[in-house]
């Protein structure tokens, strides 16, 4: 797995919108990013809990087509990131 570009933890700390973060991770994975892989990356590289990482998958179809408006997805992601930042 490539680690080119900013570290995932830095992108999360910078409050990168989830859809931008997802595009970054898909590019890192060569365009072939699975749900389990996303959860593992968020958990292992950024320290986002399994439960919160998994929760974000509910907003997408298996081909990463959003099931909700981007504002809804990013609002939930913002809340997760705020909690992550508060835990330090």
């Amino acid at each position: 797995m490539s680690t080119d570009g900013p570290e995932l933890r830095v992108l999360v700390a910078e409050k990168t919108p989830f859809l931008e973060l997802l595009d970054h991770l898909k590019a890192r994975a060569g365009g072939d990013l699975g749900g389990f892989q996303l959860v593992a990356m968020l958990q292992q590289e950024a320290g986002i809990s399994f439960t919160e990482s998994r929760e974000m998958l509910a907003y997408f179809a298996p081909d990463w087509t959003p099931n909700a408006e981007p504002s809804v997805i990013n609002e939930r992601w913002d809340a997760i990131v705020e909690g992550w930042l508060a835990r330090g």
Side-chain angles (χ1 to χ4, degrees):
M1 177 183 327
S2 171
T3 57
D4 295 339
E7 289 185 25
L8 184 54
R9 182 175 286 277
V10 172
L11 293 172
V12 172
E14 292 175 345
K15 299 182 181 180
T16 301
F18 189 79
L19 295 174
E20 289 179 33
L21 188 74
L22 181 60
D23 285 343
H24 171 78
L25 294 176
K26 286 193 290 190
R28 268 185 47 186
D32 187 24
L33 180 69
F36 180 77
Q37 189 177 8
L38 172 71
V39 170
M41 289 170 139
L42 290 172
Q43 187 176 19
Q44 294 169 6
E45 296 179 36
I48 302 292
S49 77
F50 174 84
T51 303
E52 290 171 324
S53 298
R54 171 62 184 92
E55 184 178 332
M56 294 307 297
L57 292 180
Y59 291 107
F60 298 91
D63 67 355
W64 295 113
T65 303
N67 293 330
E69 292 296 319
S71 61
V72 172
I73 295 168
N74 286 322
E75 182 177 303
R76 180 62 194 127
W77 178 243
D78 289 346
I80 289 170
V81 171
E82 288 297 326
W84 177 81
L85 290 169
R87 290 189 296 270

